[in-house]
Amino acid sequence: MRIEPLGDSALLVRVVEEFHPEKSLDAVLRALQALEFAAIPGVIELAPAYTTIGVFFDPARIARNAGKSSILEAFKTGIEHAIQTASQAGRFRGAPTAIIEVPVCYEDEFAPDLADVAQHAGLSHDEVIHRHSDASYRVTCVGFTPGFPFLSGMPRELATPRRASPRKEIPAGAVAIGGTQTGIYPRKSPGGWNIIGRTSLRLFDVLRNPPALFHAGDCVRFRKISRSEFEQFSA
């Protein structure tokens, strides 16, 4: 584990060096739970990613707590102690995760890049849909735009490079493939992933607590629905 500066009010905890879809995520989640449990004074937010955790803090409060010690070193020591203590005690061995079902309409009007994905994979449209919706996924991290879930677990044969020219506007709810991952656009935004369907689920809502529907470690399943079912969900 390494801890590195990330600007003047954050540190980057590098939990593992190389990404592995399952092992890296589990290690990051254990470290995240340890930091949440420790409730280190001055920490504002914890942001898990593929192999790291961003620890954002209030510099003024950290300075008060550090006393005569170096602010950064004192804070780093607190983080290391929290993670190592939890690891030695075996306190966190994987908490239960939510299983979220995402209804997706794969009809042509919602899937402008389905043909490209099918051609790249050497499969029919129906087979791409079947394999995409039949797989089990985990949320590796959330980012890019608020609430965007990066999902691991997609069948390797569906891996498709990002589009050479990103679109200036992708609709909210677009389900897409980018490289070896699949994800869902929470809101209208630019993007370069291959769009193969759409869901009516609201992935991010500032009036909801918590605002984001997905969190790192959640399990996700896609369920194919018809155009009429999509309209019912959207009503």
Side-chain angles (χ1 to χ4, degrees):
M1 184 181 69
R2 290 186 289 120
I3 302 177
E4 308 162 350
L6 185 65
D8 59 0
S9 58
L11 292 175
L12 189 68
V13 180
R14 193 168 297 281
V15 182
V16 295
E17 288 295 332
E18 296 183 3
F19 173 71
H20 181 279
E22 292 297 330
K23 295 179 181 178
S24 300
L25 178 57
D26 289 340
V28 168
L29 291 177
R30 285 194 297 269
L32 177 67
Q33 290 175 337
L35 292 174
E36 290 174 339
F37 182 82
I40 301 172
V43 172
I44 298 172
E45 185 178 4
L46 300 169
Y50 293 101
T51 60
T52 62
I53 300 173
V55 181
F56 297 84
F57 59 86
D58 177 353
R61 187 173 181 186
I62 294 298
R64 290 196 300 270
N65 295 333
K68 296 182 180 180
S69 305
S70 162
I71 297 175
L72 190 60
E73 289 304 316
F75 192 45
K76 287 172 63 177
T77 299
I79 293 173
E80 291 171 345
H81 177 73
I83 295 176
Q84 290 172 359
T85 300
S87 176
Q88 292 169 0
R91 181 177 294 126
F92 304 112
R93 297 190 180 278
T97 56
I99 299 177
I100 302 173
E101 183 181 86
V102 180
V104 180
C105 183
Y106 294 93
E107 297 292 335
D108 291 346
E109 63 180 298
F110 298 140
D113 300 319
L114 182 56
D116 291 339
V117 173
Q119 182 178 19
H120 186 269
L123 300 169
S124 67
H125 290 201
D126 289 343
E127 189 60 26
V128 169
I129 294 170
H130 170 71
R131 298 191 187 195
H132 184 265
S133 60
D134 193 51
S136 297
Y137 301 90
R138 289 188 79 192
V139 179
T140 304
C141 60
V142 178
F144 166 55
T145 60
F148 185 106
F150 290 84
L151 305 175
S152 62
M154 187 177 69
R156 293 183 180 181
E157 62 272 19
L158 300 186
T160 307
R162 291 171 173 80
R163 292 172 53 83
S165 300
R167 290 183 172 89
K168 295 181 180 179
E169 186 176 290
I170 289 179
V175 177
I177 290 174
T180 59
Q181 301 177 101
T182 189
I184 310 169
Y185 287 82
R187 58 184 299 177
K188 185 188 300 182
S189 66
W193 288 28
N194 302 280
I195 304 171
I196 63 168
R198 192 182 303 177
T199 181
S200 58
L201 285 183
R202 179 171 290 187
L203 275 63
F204 189 85
D205 186 347
V206 294
L207 300 178
R208 188 170 56 202
N209 185 23
L213 178 63
F214 296 101
H215 301 87
D218 286 347
C219 297
V220 178
R221 294 297 302 263
F222 292 114
R223 179 169 65 86
K224 178 185 175 183
I225 60 174
S226 65
R227 182 69 172 81
S228 60
E229 287 177 297
F230 178 84
E231 291 176 347
Q232 291 175 5
F233 279 115
S234 302

